[in-house]
Amino acid sequence: INAEYMGGLEHQQRQALLFPSILIMSKHEPQIPLWTALTTYFGYGLLMFFGHLRDFCGRIFRGKSHTAPDGYAPIVNDFEDFYTRRLYNRIHDAWNRPIASSPGAWIDVYERQSVGYRKPLVMTNKTRKCLNLGSYNYLGFGDPNSPTKPEVLKSLEQYSAATTSTRNALGTTKLHSDLEALVAKFVGKDDSMVFGMGFGTNSTGIPQLIGKNGLIISDTLNHSSIAYGCRSSGANIQVFKHNDVESLEAIIRRAIIEGQPRTHRPWSKILIMIEGIYSMEGETCALPEIVALKKKYKCYLYVDEAHSIGALGKTGRGVCEQLGVDPKDVDILMGTFTKSFGAVGGYIAGSKEMINYLRQTCAGSIYSSSISPPACQQCISALKIISGADGTNLGQEKVRRLKENANYFRQGLMDMGVHVLGNWDSPVVPMMLYNPAKISAFSRECFKRNLAVVVVGFPACPLLLSRSRLCISAAHTIEDLEWALQEIEEVCDLLGLKYNRSCRLIR
C-alpha cells in the first residue's frame, strides 16, 4: 500500500518524462463537484504553504536544514523529501498497517500508536479483526483454509522454500516446467515463461521485446512496472489517452507516416501496451477495438492481465474471454500470480520462438532467483481448480461468486450516491474521496468500524482524484458485503462523500 502511495511520487514524475501527455484526463473520469474541486486545491495549497513555512522557520530560528551537509549534493529529491515530511507524514497511519493473519476475507490487523510527529508508528500487541477490502485475494486462494494448501505443504517438504538459484542455472524444477505448460494452455498460447516477481515480469521482460529503434505506444494509466520496462528498453515512447481508440489510431498513423525522429526511417516495430483491468480505475480495456487497430496497422499488442486473469471471463481466462477476443490475436499476454492465484510472481505467454528467446536473454531469467517451489505449486493447484482439471466445479463457482460479489458491492455503492469508477464484473471498485483531508479520515473511520481499506492520493493518482480502492473477493459472503455497505454509508454520511447529490459539477 505504501509503495503505491510513496512510490507514486517518483512514478508521476517518471511518467511525465516518459509520457508527456500523462496529464490528459480520461473521458471516463467522474464529474467532480465544483465546491469539492475548489476545497481540494485549497487543502493541498494550505498544506504546502505551512510546510514551507515550517521549513523556513526551522532554518532561521533553529538552524535546522533538511538539505544535504555542506559540500554535498542532496541525496534525495527535494520535492519528494518535502512532500514526504510535510504532507504524507501527517497521515501516514492510513498506510503500512501490519497484519497478523493470512489475507482472507477477514484479517487480523495490528493496532499502532504514535510516539511523535514524523516518527514511525509503534506496533502494539493488540489486533483488530477486520473485513478485508484491500487485498487482491480475488478468488479466495489466499484464505487460511484454501484447497491448495495440502499440495503446497508437500512441495515445501520436497523442494524447500526457495531454489536459491536463477532459472538458467539450477533454479528450474519440474514444478516450474509444469506451471509454464499449464499457464500456456490456460491462456491459449503456445508457451509461457514464469518470473519470480510480478513487477519484474514487466520491468525485465519488456526490454527484451523491443529496442531503441522501436516505438512503444502506451496507455496513460499503465502500471509503473510497464513504465520501468519501457524506459529500460531504450525505445521511443508515446502515449494515448486512456482507453481512447481514436487517440491511439492518430498516434499510430503519425508514427508510420513520420517514422523515427530526425532520420524519418521506419520504426523497427510498434508495440501497443495496455492492461486488462486498470488497477486504479477498475476499468477494462477496449480490447476488441485495439485488436482491430493492431491488425490494420500491423503493430504488436502487449496486454498486462495482472488484475484480469482469473477474475474476468466465464471460466476466469481473463479479458480476452470477457470481451470475446481470440487470444491468438494478442501477441503477448502478461499476468501475475499475486492476485487471483494467491501466490507470487508472474508470467509472459506467447509464441514458442519468443518465449525461448526470453528464457535465454531476459534479466528475469539470468539474474533473478526463480519463483519459489511452494509458490509454483500454489499456482499449479489454483490453475487446476479454476480450469476444472481437479475434477470439481469449485473453480467455476469461485469465478461466478466473485462476479456476483463485485457487482453487488458496486451497485450498493452507486445506490448510496458515491462516485464509483470501473466496469461491471471488475473486482476492483474505486470509490472517490477527492479532498486530501478525507483520505486519512476515511481510512481511520473504516478501521474504527473493523473495515480494512486501501486509500490512494496524489501523486499515485491525479491531484483531484483521491480515492479508496476497494477489492472484492469470492471469499466474501453477501452478509459480509451488506454489513460493509452499511458501515461505509455511515462513514460517507459523516465525511460528506455522497457526491451524486451535488448539483454543480465540473464538466
Side-chain angles (χ1 to χ4, degrees), residues 56-348:
F56 175 78
C57 292
R59 288 192 297 269
I60 297 299
F61 299 108
R62 298 170 58 188
K64 186 177 181 180
S65 175
H66 295 282
T67 58
D70 291 340
Y72 286 83
I75 197 169
V76 295
N77 180 285
D78 184 59
F79 180 73
E80 288 183 17
D81 177 54
F82 169 80
Y83 193 90
T84 301
R85 289 184 291 102
R86 297 307 186 193
L87 280 79
Y88 169 77
N89 281 344
R90 289 179 176 271
I91 57 174
H92 64 153
D93 61 299
W95 293 275
N96 293 321
R97 289 195 176 109
I99 65 174
S101 65
S102 60
W106 290 83
I107 54 174
D108 296 325
V109 183
Y110 279 108
E111 295 183 0
R112 297 172 296 170
Q113 61 184 15
S114 175
V115 293
Y117 177 64
R118 289 180 50 206
K119 293 183 179 179
L121 297 171
V122 176
M123 188 166 58
T124 68
N125 292 324
K126 295 181 180 179
T127 62
R128 184 186 291 266
K129 192 174 185 64
C130 297
L131 182 66
N132 185 2
L133 295 176
S135 298
Y136 304 131
N137 185 29
Y138 295 150
L139 294 181
F141 287 118
D143 290 8
N145 58 346
S146 172
T148 61
K149 189 174 181 178
E151 293 299 320
V152 171
L153 293 178
K154 289 181 182 178
S155 70
L156 179 61
E157 292 179 359
Q158 180 177 355
Y159 294 102
S160 186
T163 62
T164 68
S165 184
T166 59
R167 284 296 304 275
N168 66 343
L170 295 174
T172 300
T173 68
K174 184 177 184 299
L175 294 178
H176 292 82
S177 300
D178 290 347
L179 176 58
E180 289 176 337
L182 273 174
V183 167
K185 181 179 179 181
F186 185 72
V187 302
K189 286 295 182 183
D190 296 336
D191 202 356
S192 73
M193 173 183 169
V194 298
F195 294 72
M197 180 185 179
F199 191 96
T201 305
N202 278 329
S203 61
T204 65
I206 293 172
Q208 296 307 125
L209 298 174
I210 191 167
K212 68 175 183 177
N213 293 320
L215 172 65
I216 295 174
I217 306 178
S218 178
D219 190 289
T220 55
L221 296 184
N222 275 341
H223 191 262
S224 61
S225 61
I226 294 178
Y228 270 105
C230 292
R231 183 172 65 174
S232 300
S233 71
N236 188 286
I237 303 163
Q238 297 183 31
V239 295
F240 63 97
K241 297 178 185 179
H242 174 56
N243 249 358
D244 191 325
V245 178
E246 293 179 0
S247 172
L248 173 61
E249 183 171 20
I251 292 173
I252 295 173
R253 288 172 62 89
R254 186 169 65 249
I256 293 174
I257 293 170
E258 296 180 356
Q260 299 183 43
R262 295 188 297 274
T263 65
H264 300 291
R265 292 176 180 173
W267 299 101
S268 61
K269 70 186 78 170
I270 297 177
L271 178 61
I272 303 169
M273 309 203 70
I274 58 175
E275 295 186 39
I277 293 179
Y278 292 89
S279 59
M280 285 293 180
E281 320 301 313
E283 185 178 2
T284 54
C285 61
L287 188 59
E289 295 85 354
I290 293 176
V291 165
L293 278 184
K294 88 103 181 174
K295 288 182 176 180
K296 179 179 179 181
Y297 294 103
K298 304 298 186 291
C299 303
Y300 290 100
L301 178 59
Y302 184 110
V303 179
D304 180 334
E305 289 218 77
H307 289 267
S308 54
I309 191 66
L312 291 183
K314 185 177 180 181
T315 62
R317 283 174 166 80
V319 70
C320 290
E321 183 179 48
Q322 176 81 0
L323 300 179
V325 173
D326 189 339
K328 294 178 181 178
D329 291 334
V330 179
D331 303 286
I332 305 152
L333 286 170
M334 174 270 175
T336 64
F337 301 122
T338 52
K339 282 81 178 178
S340 296
F341 304 96
V344 68
Y347 67 85
I348 289 179

Side-chain angles (χ1 to χ4, degrees), residues 341-361:
F341 304 96
V344 68
Y347 67 85
I348 289 179
S351 66
K352 283 188 177 294
E353 293 78 11
M354 184 194 74
I355 297 302
N356 286 333
Y357 170 75
L358 282 179
R359 288 194 181 110
Q360 297 166 12
T361 61

